[in-house]
Amino acid sequence: MFVPAYALQTNMIDPNLQITLEYPDIVRQGDKFVLSSIIKATADQVSNITLSISSPELYSTNNTFSLTKLAKDSTFGNNFELEPKSDMPDGQFVANVQVTYFVKGLFDSNSVKNTFVQAFHLNAQSSPILSFDIQAPSNVFSGEPFSIKGTIKNQGTKAQDVQIIASSQDISLEGKKSFLLSSLDSGKSSDFEFIVNTSKDLDIPVHAVIYVNGTYIDDLNKSHSIQDSVNVFARHRGMLEMGDANGIWLGTFFIAPVVGVGTIVSSAIGFFIFLWHFKNRKKQRKGKKS
């Protein structure tokens, strides 16, 4: 029986009842799962409550739950065991929840029947569905380490033996360029990071593509793969350059900290010349006044 952690929730609000449904974000064809329901009475004299779950895509030995009476502000829970049909395609499908009950108001001679219905979506997947979100610098210095960060997310069934590797056909990569994960549950994500550097012997600047390849297996030991890529420009650091190759953002202003030492020295000399001229002008003005 497939009993994953609850991830999605549907709330139904009526003047006399509140219904909360909790169910997994991913269900698998042919596997049973649990849908949890919580009923809360918000009025007095609510009785003969019946809650039923129905969908053409679901099997259930008992899809209806009944409760004789529920006092105001009290809650009662129930679990439904449901099974998606094994021949249904991957993707979302609709299920309906119907609630009927009786309530007697202050001026009612008899209890009045009420009914409300609401639809909700379930997502059926037969295998893991992994996706990448990757960030990397666009400019790097050859021979110096840089970081490739990413997040891998599973929007299908549970994945096992997840392996992620960074590689490039354009440049040689050294350092930490692999990541292993024993399993990744449905609806979960995991962060990873590679710390790599290009070869110090890079001859000329290169526009390189770095591929991030992933492999994983499902619970039937069937292998799957995933790939994404990032682009970087690798070059030698100049002899008089210092700082990072990418620069930083300060608010809406971009500052590139790769600055030549010669430029810094020239700027400093220019500043001192300016001060010297400024002081001389002050002395000349004082001489004229005297």
Side-chain angles (χ1 to χ4, degrees):
M1 184 176 177
F2 180 45
V3 190
Y6 295 121
L8 297 181
Q9 195 175 86
T10 292
N11 295 307
M12 304 174 64
I13 299 176
D14 178 82
N16 305 302
L17 287 179
Q18 291 181 4
I19 311 294
T20 300
L21 303 180
E22 291 185 338
Y23 46 92
D25 56 352
I26 302 293
V27 298
R28 185 169 51 197
Q29 297 90 331
D31 281 4
K32 291 181 180 179
F33 69 95
V34 174
L35 181 148
S36 173
S37 66
I38 299 175
I39 302 174
K40 179 179 180 180
T42 57
D44 291 317
Q45 301 193 50
V46 179
S47 60
N48 297 323
I49 304 166
T50 300
L51 189 153
S52 60
I53 307 293
S54 63
S55 172
E57 306 296 346
L58 290 174
Y59 291 121
S60 177
T61 56
N62 185 8
N63 66 337
T64 300
F65 167 72
S66 297
L67 188 63
T68 304
K69 185 180 290 187
L70 190 63
K72 183 180 180 181
D73 296 327
S74 297
T75 59
F76 200 92
N78 179 68
N79 288 336
F80 295 93
E81 293 184 6
L82 306 172
E83 180 183 336
K85 292 183 178 179
S86 58
D87 59 350
M88 67 176 297
D90 288 348
Q92 284 194 342
F93 65 97
V94 176
N96 296 299
V97 54
Q98 177 174 299
V99 181
T100 61
Y101 65 91
F102 288 82
V103 62
K104 186 177 181 181
L106 293 175
F107 304 103
D108 296 327
S109 57
N110 296 307
S111 297
V112 178
K113 183 179 180 180
N114 288 269
T115 301
F116 59 97
V117 180
Q118 184 168 318
F120 62 98
H121 287 91
L122 292 164
N123 187 9
Q125 298 294 337
S126 57
S127 61
I129 303 176
L130 269 57
S131 60
F132 284 137
D133 181 14
I134 303 173
Q135 295 178 339
S138 56
N139 296 277
V140 299
F141 289 127
S142 59
E144 299 185 13
F146 62 94
S147 172
I148 301 174
K149 295 182 179 181
T151 300
I152 185 168
K153 183 177 182 180
N154 185 7
Q155 295 175 300
T157 59
K158 183 177 181 179
Q160 301 181 58
D161 294 335
V162 181
Q163 302 182 39
I164 308 172
I165 297 175
S167 63
S168 177
Q169 299 175 353
D170 303 313
I171 53 176
S172 174
L173 288 179
E174 302 170 357
K176 180 189 174 185
K177 50 186 178 181
S178 64
F179 175 80
L180 302 177
L181 193 63
S182 60
S183 65
L184 187 61
D185 289 335
S186 171
K188 301 298 183 180
S189 62
S190 179
D191 295 330
F192 61 90
E193 182 178 12
F194 302 131
I195 305 295
V196 297
N197 59 271
T198 66
S199 173
K200 293 181 180 180
D201 302 327
L202 192 67
D203 295 329
I204 58 174
V206 175
H207 288 278
V209 179
I210 298 178
Y211 294 97
V212 178
N213 297 290
T215 59
Y216 55 96
I217 61 173
D218 57 27
D219 56 357
L220 299 177
N221 285 327
K222 183 179 179 181
S223 180
H224 302 267
S225 62
I226 179 178
Q227 185 185 81
D228 204 345
S229 63
V230 292
N231 297 303
V232 299
F233 178 64
R235 66 178 180 88
H236 282 299
R237 180 188 289 272
M239 187 173 63
L240 298 178
E241 283 184 321
M242 62 181 183
D244 186 17
N246 271 297
I248 58 173
W249 285 95
L250 293 178
T252 58
F253 297 96
F254 182 75
I255 299 176
V258 177
V259 181
V261 174
T263 303
I264 297 174
V265 173
S266 299
S267 300
I269 292 173
F271 178 71
F272 285 122
I273 292 174
F274 169 77
L275 287 179
W276 183 77
H277 281 293
F278 184 74
K279 288 182 179 180
N280 281 344
R281 287 179 183 176
K282 276 191 172 181
K283 289 181 181 179
Q284 291 175 1
R285 288 175 182 173
K286 287 181 180 179
K288 289 180 180 179
K289 288 181 178 179
S290 59

